[in-house]
Amino acid sequence: MSMRSWIHSVTPLGDFNQAAGHLAVSSSPSSLPPLAESISDTSGKEDGPLARALALLFESSPILYSTLVPALASYIQDTPPILSYPALIDAALAVIASWPDAQKAQFIAGHPRIGGVKGLSTLSAQEQAAKATPPEVLARLAHLNALYERKYLGLVYITFVNGRSRAEVKDEMENVLGLEHSVSADEPPLTNVESVEVGGSEWTKELERAVADVGRIAKSRLNALGVGKNAESL
């Protein structure tokens, strides 16, 4: 898919009030498959050990199944033995680093928007502290997401939450966008935001930052899933 096609395919932000009234979190996270099963899986199947592991660590998405799973399975066969889940995540990031920008943008969009309240995986809900966020902060985050997506066409804001509240992440987003801290649900207007050049240095830097944070999120999920730093015993 070309970058232009990808930009037009990004799902617009929905109505906040409607979303807030339909808070939905998926069932409890499954455990990771044994590492030996994941790294030896060359089936490419969505229910195979490698795909299940990657979906837990990186969030389920079409491009994960169609592109990352088979590419990583092939990559594993041509690299030194992978002895831990952190090393498997690094291998996945190396594969993603070789992709064109449009595919990288599709991949990071597999993560839910910051402040999202509908259809979150259990791990995402835990990371974003969904149950402890005031409505005005959620409304502000919805607007900030829209502002960000207007400035960085084709991108979705991703950050390594790392235990922070959504209110703290709101402040971070405002800093990124050069805005004063606020709980306004509609200021500044979207029309005040100028888009940066898609594929330009600022846009590309933001894309690469987001990919790196997806990797940091994946590694932090190992702890939530009860996996140690090395995880060789798996």
Side-chain angles (χ1 to χ4, degrees):
M1 179 184 290
S2 68
M3 179 57 68
R4 183 179 296 275
S5 298
W6 165 244
I7 289 171
H8 289 294
S9 72
V10 175
T11 304
L13 286 166
D15 178 75
F16 167 75
N17 291 324
Q18 180 181 18
H22 294 85
L23 177 61
V25 176
S26 64
S27 58
S28 299
S30 303
S31 60
L32 283 168
L35 178 64
E37 292 184 10
S38 294
I39 62 176
S40 62
D41 177 22
T42 59
S43 68
K45 294 181 179 179
E46 292 189 10
D47 60 353
L50 181 59
R52 288 190 286 112
L54 294 178
L56 276 172
L57 296 170
F58 289 109
E59 292 284 331
S60 175
S61 67
I63 195 169
L64 181 144
Y65 294 119
S66 68
T67 307
L68 180 58
V69 170
L72 181 56
S74 176
Y75 181 89
I76 289 171
Q77 307 309 309
D78 299 323
T79 58
I82 290 176
L83 302 178
S84 68
Y85 262 110
L88 181 63
I89 292 171
D90 286 338
L93 293 173
V95 170
I96 295 164
S98 70
W99 291 354
D101 288 348
Q103 286 185 317
K104 291 177 182 176
Q106 290 178 58
F107 180 73
I108 65 171
H111 269 264
R113 289 178 173 93
I114 295 295
V117 294
K118 186 176 181 180
L120 297 180
S121 68
T122 301
L123 289 174
S124 284
Q126 291 171 352
E127 290 159 357
Q128 293 199 40
K131 296 181 180 179
T133 308
E136 61 272 19
V137 173
L138 290 176
R140 178 62 173 170
L141 284 169
H143 186 58
L144 291 173
N145 278 317
L147 293 170
Y148 177 89
E149 291 169 33
R150 185 176 179 91
K151 181 173 182 177
Y152 298 100
L153 297 174
L155 301 185
V156 174
Y157 187 72
I158 300 293
T159 188
F160 179 36
V161 173
N162 195 25
R164 292 176 294 163
S165 69
R166 280 174 165 169
E168 290 174 297
V169 176
K170 172 195 77 68
D171 291 348
E172 176 189 274
M173 290 187 72
E174 288 165 336
N175 292 341
V176 167
L177 293 168
L179 302 175
E180 294 184 0
H181 294 177
S182 166
V183 290
S184 170
D186 54 15
E187 291 292 336
L190 287 177
T191 52
N192 285 15
V193 177
E194 183 177 349
S195 300
V196 303
E197 179 187 359
V198 174
S201 59
E202 182 177 352
W203 187 94
T204 301
K205 181 179 179 180
E206 186 61 16
L207 172 64
E208 296 300 338
R209 182 204 58 77
V211 171
D213 269 16
V214 167
R216 296 171 70 195
I217 293 166
K219 288 184 177 179
S220 76
R221 288 184 171 188
L222 293 176
N223 291 329
L225 292 164
V227 178
K229 291 184 179 180
N230 295 320
E232 291 95 342
S233 61
L234 292 178

